[in-house]
Amino acid sequence: MFDLKSLFSPEGACATVLPGWRSRPQQLAMAEAVERAIADNSVLLAEAGTGTGKTLAYLIPALLSGGKVVISTGTKALQDQLFHRDLPAARRALKSPVKVALLKGRANYVCHHHLQRNLADGRFAHRDDAAWLQKIARFAETSSSGDRAEAEGIPEDATAWQYAISSRDTCLGSECSHFKDCFVMAARKAALDAEVVVVNHHLFFADLWLKDEGVAELLPACNTVVLDEAHQLAETAAQFFGETLSTAQLLDLAGDTKRLAAVKAGDFPALRRAAEDLAKVTRDLRLAFPQNPVKSTIAELARYDKWPDALKALSSALDETAKLLETQAERDADLKNCFERAQAVQATLASWQRADDPDNPRVHWLETTLSSLLLHATPLSVGAMFGAKLTERAQAWILTSATLAVGGDFTHLKTRLGIETAETLCVDSPFDYPRQGVLYVPQGLPAPNTPDFTDAVVNAALPVLEVSRGRAFILFTSLRALEKARGLLFDAFKARGWDYPLLVQGDAPKNELLARFQKAGNAVLLGSQSFWEGVDMPGDALSVVIIDKLPFQPPDDPVVAARIAQAEKNGGKPFMDYQLPHAAISLKQGAGRLIRTETDRGVLMICDTRLADKPYGRLLLNALPAMTRTRKLEVVERFFASPLASPVIEGEAAQPVPHVL
Ligand code: SF4
C-alpha cells in the first residue's frame, strides 16, 4: 500500500524509479491536497510555482485513487509530453497497470470516407497533394491508429491532409460506410475503455463538455477531472460556449455542394448555380471590409457601407442553397450532410443577427483575417455554466497552473469560473529567486502610450543585450511594436557589429524558431502573445526576458469592452476586478519564461514604468517571482559580469522590497 509521504520522500518510489527526481516539500503538499480533493469529490484550485513538479503531484494521487480520470492540458504538445513522458513515469513509480489513452481532436485522424472520396475525385489545390494523398492512403492501410503524428515521412502540416480528415460538420457518423473501421470512432472507444484519458482543452470543451457524438459518456463516467494550465479555461470556455461562423466554413460548404452537384445531381443544374452564387457572395462579404484587421461589434457595423447589402445577399444565397439541397438530400449521404450543414449555418447566422438574450448576455461581433471573416457570439461570462457543471455530480475537479492567483488571492479566477466555494492551495516555487534573478525596471522611459516608446525600449534594451551577449526573449504586447523593434534592432546590431541571430515571430513556425534559438546560444527572439506562455527554455540560451508593456487587454477589443461595460452596469470596478488581475496573471506568465530550473540565472526587464509609478503597480510586482529588484543598469552589468555571484547587493534589494523600486 502506498502513502504519499513515503512515495515523495528522498528514499521513496519516485526517487528510486525516476532519474533526476528530487524530493520537494511543495510537491508533497500539492499531492496531499489533490488526494483530499479526490476523497471529498471537491473542487481544488492549486497554483504551483515553476519547479514544483505539479504534474506528478496530481498524477500520483489520481492514479492511486483508482477511479476513472480525465486530464486536460493546454496544447497538443503538452498533451503528448504528459502522455509519453509524465504518465509513464508515474505508472513506473506506482507499478500501476492502469489502462491509459490519448485522445486527440478528429482532425488528427485519417478519415477513410474523405480520403477515398478525394482520391477518386482527384481535384487538388496544390500540385503535390495527389502524391502525398497516395502516401496517406498507404499509411491508413497499415496504421492501427490512423493518427497523423505517426505517419512517418508525411509532414504533419502537409496540405494534402485536408483531403484525408473529417470535421464535425462533414462526418457522416453512423451513416458512413466506414463507421465500423473508423479511426476517430476507435480512438473514442479506447478512451471510453481506459482508466486514464489525456486530452487537450479544445477537445475537452468541444467534444467532452458539449457532447459531440461518441464521447458524450466520457465526462459523466469520470471520478476525477484534472485541468492543467487552468489559467486559460475562462477564455477557452468562452470560445466554445459561444458561436462562430466563418467565411471559410461557408466556402467549404459551397465548394462541397458544387462538387457533389456535378457528380451526384448532374440532372439538377440549379444546385450547382446556387453553390457558385453562395461562393461569390461569401467572398463579397469579406470584401465589404477592405482593411485588415477589423474587429467590430454588430452595433458598429453601420459605418461599413457595403456590409448591409453583402449580408442580405449572403442570407438569400444561403437560403436558396439550403432549399435546393433539401430536394436532393435523399439521393446521397454526402448531399444530405451538405443540407444539414446549410441548415446549421442558417441557424448560426440568424442567431448572430438576433438581439441578445438577457439571460445569457453575449457580445455579437466580427473580425477579419487576411482572407477570412469570422462572426462571433461570445458569452460575457462563463461562470454560471462552468460552475454548475463542476457540482453536477460527485466528482473531483483539480484546476492547476503556475499562474492562477494574484498575490495568493484566487478571487478573480473563482469569479470568472463560477466556483466561489472551491478549495485553494498556493505552493511556492522551490527556486531561490533573489539569487537566481534580477527584476530590472529602467529609469527615465517615456509613458507606454507615447509615439517613441518602442524606440526607447530598444535603446534601453541594447546595453542589457550587450552584457548578456544576446540570449534574450523580447516580448511585446502588440505586433505593431514587434515589427517596429525588428527594424530598430536590425540596424542597431549592424551598427555595433553584433552577430546575435535575430529571430522574429512569424518568420518561421514557433517550434522551429525555438529550436534555432536554443541551438544558436546567443540569439535574440522577438515574440508577441504566443511566446508569453507555454515556452520552456531552460539553460543559458535564455538569460534575459524583456517585456515592453504591462499586458493589459486592449480596452477597444469588442469582448473586453463589453465585459467592462457590463461590470460597470453591475456596479463593479472593472479595472480592479477584471483588467488588473488579468494583466497580473499574463505578466506572471511572461516572466515565468526566464527561470526554469534551479541552476538558471537571468534578468527580467520590464520597460513599463507604471509598474513602479502607479499605485496598482504594487499588486503586479507582488504577483511576480521574488527576484532582486533594481532600477540601475549597473546591477544588471554586475550580475552578468560575475556568473557565480549572487545579485543580492547590499542596499539594492533589502527585504522587504519597497514598492517604488
Ligand atoms: S465516420 Fe466520419 S470520420 Fe469516420 S470514416 Fe466516416 S466520415 Fe470519416
Side-chain angles (χ1 to χ4, degrees), residues 106 111-114 166 170-173 176 178-179 182 184-185:
R106 61 163 65 245
C111 160
H112 295 299
H113 173 73
H114 287 94
S166 64
T170 61
C171 174
L172 303 182
C176 175
H178 298 277
F179 190 69
C182 170
V184 177
M185 302 305 155

Side-chain angles (χ1 to χ4, degrees), residues 375-630:
L375 311 179
H376 303 284
T378 308
L380 290 187
S381 161
V382 296
M385 206 164 157
F386 190 90
K389 176 69 107 190
L390 269 57
T391 49
E392 205 172 80
R393 47 178 60 85
Q395 289 175 320
W397 289 75
I398 315 297
L399 279 62
T400 185
S401 164
T403 53
L404 291 181
V406 181
D409 181 356
F410 288 84
T411 309
H412 171 65
L413 188 76
K414 282 181 163 184
T415 311
R416 287 201 74 189
L417 294 179
I419 45 175
E420 284 81 359
T421 57
E423 300 290 325
T424 60
L425 172 82
C426 250
V427 286
D428 285 337
S429 165
F431 299 160
D432 185 357
Y433 280 114
R435 289 183 182 277
Q436 289 181 255
V438 171
L439 166 59
Y440 169 47
V441 181
Q443 285 175 311
L445 286 178
N449 56 357
T450 48
D452 55 355
F453 178 70
T454 303
D455 305 65
V457 168
V458 168
N459 286 336
L462 287 169
V464 176
L465 297 177
E466 182 166 24
V467 289
S468 67
R469 291 167 286 111
R471 304 189 294 150
F473 277 4
I474 310 186
L475 302 178
F476 295 89
T477 48
S478 76
L479 285 172
R480 192 182 303 165
L482 181 147
E483 276 309 320
K484 185 169 185 195
R486 171 213 283 261
L488 294 168
L489 285 165
F490 181 83
D491 292 345
F493 283 14
K494 202 166 158 205
R496 287 165 174 75
W498 292 353
D499 59 358
Y500 312 138
L502 195 57
L503 306 173
V504 183
Q505 174 181 328
D507 285 357
K510 183 175 171 183
N511 283 344
E512 191 184 320
L513 284 177
L514 291 172
R516 275 155 59 183
F517 183 89
Q518 176 106 62
K519 191 162 174 234
N522 65 345
V524 175
L525 186 147
L526 314 191
S528 80
Q529 211 170 6
S530 68
F531 285 84
W532 282 69
E533 57 180 276
V535 175
D536 190 20
M537 185 66 65
D540 287 347
L542 178 62
S543 297
V544 175
V545 169
I546 299 174
I547 287 174
D548 73 334
K549 289 184 192 176
L550 298 177
F552 287 110
Q553 292 175 300
D556 55 349
D557 177 278
V559 179
V560 176
R563 284 185 184 143
I564 292 172
Q566 193 201 32
E568 278 166 353
K569 203 169 112 197
N570 296 341
K573 292 187 232 114
F575 182 73
M576 293 308 290
D577 299 343
Y578 167 59
Q579 293 166 277
L580 190 57
H582 188 281
I585 287 173
S586 301
L587 186 65
K588 205 157 127 180
Q589 273 292 335
R593 300 313 99 216
L594 183 63
I595 306 288
R596 306 299 299 170
T597 70
E598 275 154 0
T599 52
D600 281 359
R601 297 173 83 248
V603 169
L604 170 66
M605 172 174 168
I606 301 179
C607 302
D608 191 327
T609 53
R610 288 176 293 180
L611 193 61
D613 301 340
K614 295 285 182 192
Y616 59 74
R618 179 193 302 272
L619 186 134
L620 297 169
L621 271 175
N622 289 343
L624 290 171
M627 298 176 186
T628 296
R629 297 173 185 174
T630 186

Side-chain angles (χ1 to χ4, degrees), residues 288-347:
F289 301 90
Q291 59 280 68
N292 184 59
V294 169
K295 281 188 178 187
S296 167
T297 61
I298 200 166
E300 294 160 352
L301 284 172
R303 62 186 138 113
Y304 298 96
D305 29 320
K306 291 193 178 148
W307 165 255
D309 288 344
L311 183 63
K312 237 181 263 161
L314 174 73
S315 276
S316 62
L318 187 57
D319 291 348
E320 178 67 9
T321 308
K323 194 178 84 193
L324 297 179
L325 273 168
E326 187 174 12
T327 66
Q328 305 300 306
E330 291 312 314
R331 294 177 89 157
D332 169 80
D334 282 315
L335 277 168
K336 186 171 170 220
N337 173 263
C338 280
F339 170 55
E340 287 164 357
R341 282 160 65 191
Q343 281 186 309
V345 168
Q346 279 178 305

Side-chain angles (χ1 to χ4, degrees), residues 65-83:
S65 72
K68 190 169 178 96
V69 183
V70 164
I71 302 165
S72 181
T73 63
T75 62
K76 246 189 320 176
L78 289 171
Q79 189 188 358
D80 280 333
Q81 182 180 309
L82 197 141
F83 187 78

Side-chain angles (χ1 to χ4, degrees), residues 354-385:
R354 259 199 308 274
D356 227 340
D357 170 3
D359 294 332
N360 176 22
R362 307 196 298 180
V363 52
H364 293 217
W365 59 291
L366 160 161
E367 71 175 325
T368 62
T369 65
L370 217 49
S371 59
S372 193
L373 180 81
L374 298 109
L375 311 179
H376 303 284
T378 308
L380 290 187
S381 161
V382 296
M385 206 164 157

